[in-house]
Amino acid sequence: MVTKQAAELRALTEGRGNAFDPDCPTRVVLDRIGDKWTVLVIGALVDGPRRFTALRQHIGGVAPKVLTQTLRAMERDGLLTRTVYAQVPPRVDYALTDLGASLGGPIAVLTDWAELNVAKILAARDEFVAQEA
Amino acid sequence: MVTKQAAELRALTEGRGNAFDPDCPTRVVLDRIGDKWTVLVIGALVDGPRRFTALRQHIGGVAPKVLTQTLRAMERDGLLTRTVYAQVPPRVDYALTDLGASLGGPIAVLTDWAELNVAKILAARDEFVAQEA
DNA sequence: GTCCCATAGTAACCACTGGTAACTGAGCAC
DNA sequence: GTGCTCAGTTACCAGTGGTTACTATGGGAC
């Protein structure tokens, strides 16, 4: 614990993290971004706030439990806000914070690459399978 | 807040083959990129080929089994090449392909964001913990 | 000859997480 | 009192990530 805090402090005081240091908190950020649902939630919220069920419908194939986990983690990390209205039936709005919205750029770059290179990756995969056989 | 970047992301996700469709192969690419070790391996190889042990040392905290899994998956997807020299002790070089190297740009954007925003995320996390208590 | 070393993994095992299906609670309409 | 909506929760299961220990091979030291 002490060493971890020291590493975080060092990384922060140096101004920049080093993702290759296992104790560097940048790893934490990469883990969060690495979660595919986080990426899709950011994409689903760039247009504005959405409710829980709307998110579920917009992001195909996500189970409610997993969506809840993702949203809570993102709220904890300051990427979005969760607003509960005391109504029945309940209403909960999710909206990106400035920090969360600022992630949209890097994610767009990534999804752009993905769109452009899906074919190459699938081709490599097919070829590899063919070689194995 | 919602700017050109947001519009870009929206165009990507709602226009041509979108990542919100659970059956879209873009999901496959996001899963691969989402693996934190993949990101670090790309980062470790942009300067040139490395051997297995060199990768292990450069990327702190990775278990050999997991590194092997990651490297095999990346080889399968055409992101890197694996060259075995019939020597004793064994020597295996890993090098990025053009496809793998082209991922360096998007990943650099992402890690830049991560390193710049680590402090904000940790602050949000601390505040959240404080509010809970 | 025997012992030890380095490299690039594998094997066995465990814990945690991601995913599925079913259930909850609160008020309102019927 | 039955059913409807929304936003989850609960119980459960499989797969994955991670840890530690072990392996194969030949070269050099003794």
Side-chain angles (χ1 to χ4, degrees), chain A residues 112-127:
Chain A
D112 197 3
W113 187 94
E115 291 286 339
L116 288 173
N117 293 282
V118 163
K120 287 180 187 170
I121 286 184
L122 291 180
R125 211 170 268 196
D126 286 347
E127 184 153 342

Side-chain angles (χ1 to χ4, degrees), chain A residues 2-70:
Chain A
V2 176
T3 55
K4 190 175 180 182
Q5 285 177 347
E8 287 187 4
L9 186 62
R10 181 174 4 106
L12 287 176
T13 52
E14 282 171 1
R16 271 243 158 165
N18 169 19
F20 293 112
D21 177 357
D23 291 326
C24 175
T26 303
R27 285 274 179 96
V28 169
V29 180
L30 284 181
D31 280 351
R32 176 117 323 289
I33 297 170
D35 180 20
K36 73 177 169 187
W37 299 121
T38 297
V39 172
L40 294 172
V41 167
I42 297 268
L45 289 179
V46 287
D47 292 333
R50 278 179 195 265
R51 301 177 62 173
F52 187 86
T53 304
L55 280 172
R56 257 187 86 180
Q57 287 166 353
H58 191 74
I59 304 172
V62 62
K65 189 191 77 167
V66 179
L67 183 56
T68 300
Q69 286 174 348
T70 303

Side-chain angles (χ1 to χ4, degrees), chain A residues 20, chain B residues 37-48 50 55 58-59 74 96 100 104 107 111:
Chain A
F20 293 112
Chain B
W37 299 122
T38 298
V39 172
L40 294 172
V41 168
I42 296 270
L45 290 179
V46 287
D47 294 332
R50 279 178 195 266
L55 279 172
H58 191 74
I59 304 172
M74 291 174 70
L96 290 183
I107 283 178
T111 51

